[in-house]
Amino acid sequence: MAPNLNSVKKFFVFLGKSVFALLEVMVFAVIPRPQKNVAGEIVLITGSGSGLGRLLALKFARLGSVLVLWDVSQEGNEETCKMAREAGATGVYAYTCDCSRKEEVYRVADQVKKEVGDVSILINNAGIVTGKKFLDCPDELMEKSFDVNFKAHLWTYKAFLPAMIANDHGHLVCISSSAGLIGVNGLADYCASKFAAFGFAESVFMETFAKKQNGIKTTIVCPFFIKTGMFDGCTTGCPSLLPILEPEYAVRKIVDAILQEKPYLYMPRFIYFIVFLKSFLPLKLGMLLAEYMGVFNSMDSFSGHKKKD
């Protein structure tokens, strides 16, 4: 009898919590979620020397955060550092770091802990794209894609998550991609690395939730192509539903998601619908839709970052 009573009790607790969660979603669908204050928070951004990373740094600078900037390019990172100071950052610390190298990540992480303190918001933004078909892509480039786009997340989490757990305060941000949700023709290595980054971030999120480490937040970002230069030459066959995103718009949405502690952010919103369709649509119909929207040809004119003269 007792086991049956426990099952009934467990069911009603689940039901009550589900109703509360549903009501919360409905309320915040009408009323904007409150935003947390990040003034004084130590925010580490990888890939901060250009593009999205630089814009994220400037946004957090204006919010009064202490910035820790990591990039493989010292010149680009120093430029971001200068711009962040001009934008009013409380403190800015620039470090040259190749995130694809585990030993270097750990070494620079130790330096950050001694010179700045415990990182409370970690934004894994650094990324590269080869833009080559799978059989045309050299092994070393595929390995580099995984080292930067995925494995670097392992090492930064290992370096900074323990202090977040000890302080019961931290926010892990994974900049994945819509290519981490759906396979894309011409992006095999990139998709694989972004799928891995998404899966890893979500798994650690589940770990912290299961351990009731409520002070540790996670935000996983999956944008379509952004006009940062990384995907120069890429096209969209349906710009009204799948537009190539403006960097300023993308950064605004990402920062809002972090401040509102949203676990997931897909951009544009149509990506949510695509993921939903993928879960039940017959394969042939899904392929016809992808063909209609020009997905198969989006990488045909890819040129990527143009090298400086």
Side-chain angles (χ1 to χ4, degrees):
M1 192 69 180
N4 287 337
L5 285 174
N6 286 336
S7 296
V8 171
K9 181 183 175 182
K10 186 177 178 181
F11 173 74
F12 277 106
V13 168
F14 161 74
L15 200 61
K17 288 182 176 179
S18 298
V19 170
F20 180 79
L22 191 58
L23 287 172
E24 185 182 38
V25 169
M26 291 170 68
V27 167
F28 287 129
V30 179
I31 304 169
R33 287 179 179 270
Q35 295 191 343
K36 66 181 177 183
N37 182 10
V38 293
E41 298 279 3
I42 299 177
V43 181
L44 190 153
I45 304 169
T46 67
S48 55
S50 62
L52 201 65
R54 173 173 289 174
L55 293 176
L56 284 168
L58 296 179
K59 190 75 171 175
F60 277 101
R62 297 184 188 103
L63 293 171
S65 302
V66 176
L67 298 178
V68 178
L69 308 177
W70 282 16
D71 201 280
V72 71
S73 167
Q74 183 176 354
E75 182 182 356
N77 214 25
E78 289 295 341
E79 180 64 23
T80 301
C81 184
K82 178 184 174 185
M83 293 168 72
R85 288 198 178 102
E86 291 171 354
T90 304
V92 191
Y93 302 83
Y95 297 87
T96 303
C97 181
D98 183 350
C99 293
S100 69
R101 304 171 73 90
K102 179 176 66 175
E103 294 78 11
E104 193 165 332
V105 169
Y106 289 160
R107 177 182 61 78
V108 181
D110 285 341
Q111 196 176 344
V112 168
K113 293 171 195 174
K114 291 172 186 173
E115 297 175 359
V116 188
D118 292 333
V119 169
S120 51
I121 301 178
L122 171 63
I123 305 177
N124 276 306
N125 164 74
I128 61 170
V129 59
T130 64
K132 296 179 181 294
K133 301 286 187 185
F134 173 64
L135 292 178
D136 296 331
C137 188
D139 292 356
E140 59 271 18
L141 284 184
M142 284 192 282
E143 289 172 347
K144 191 73 172 178
S145 288
F146 267 82
D147 288 342
V148 176
N149 299 346
F150 163 54
K151 289 167 73 175
H153 297 210
L154 304 177
W155 319 138
T156 55
Y157 271 46
K158 273 281 183 76
F160 299 112
L161 181 56
M164 292 183 184
I165 292 171
N167 298 327
D168 193 32
H169 179 72
H171 201 139
L172 303 164
V173 183
C174 167
I175 307 297
S176 181
S177 170
S178 58
L181 300 167
I182 300 160
V184 180
N185 177 35
L187 281 175
D189 60 309
Y190 184 79
C191 286
S193 66
K194 290 297 187 177
F195 266 85
F198 183 103
F200 168 67
E202 190 172 61
S203 294
V204 174
F205 167 60
M206 294 299 175
E207 278 190 27
T208 57
F209 182 86
K211 292 178 180 178
K212 294 181 169 53
Q213 294 165 341
N214 300 323
I216 312 301
K217 310 301 178 183
T218 292
T219 298
I220 305 172
V221 182
C222 296
F224 189 56
F225 299 141
I226 305 174
K227 295 178 185 176
T228 59
M230 188 172 176
F231 282 96
D232 274 358
C234 293
T235 59
T236 174
C238 198
S240 58
L241 294 175
L242 271 182
I244 296 178
L245 304 171
E246 294 294 336
E248 293 77 13
Y249 166 81
V251 166
R252 187 173 71 251
K253 297 295 286 185
I254 292 168
V255 173
D256 283 349
I258 294 169
L259 298 182
Q260 294 173 13
E261 297 181 342
K262 291 182 178 179
Y264 301 98
L265 172 66
Y266 301 169
M267 297 183 286
R269 283 186 173 274
F270 190 65
I271 298 292
Y272 292 98
F273 186 58
I274 290 177
V275 172
F276 172 66
L277 289 179
K278 183 186 174 185
S279 67
F280 72 90
L281 213 59
L283 179 61
K284 285 188 178 180
L285 197 54
M287 290 300 190
L288 286 172
L289 180 62
E291 187 175 31
Y292 171 73
M293 297 185 69
V295 174
F296 296 145
N297 305 109
S298 61
M299 292 293 294
D300 287 357
S301 302
F302 171 81
S303 59
H305 278 297
K306 294 178 176 63
K307 293 182 180 179
K308 294 178 182 178
D309 294 330

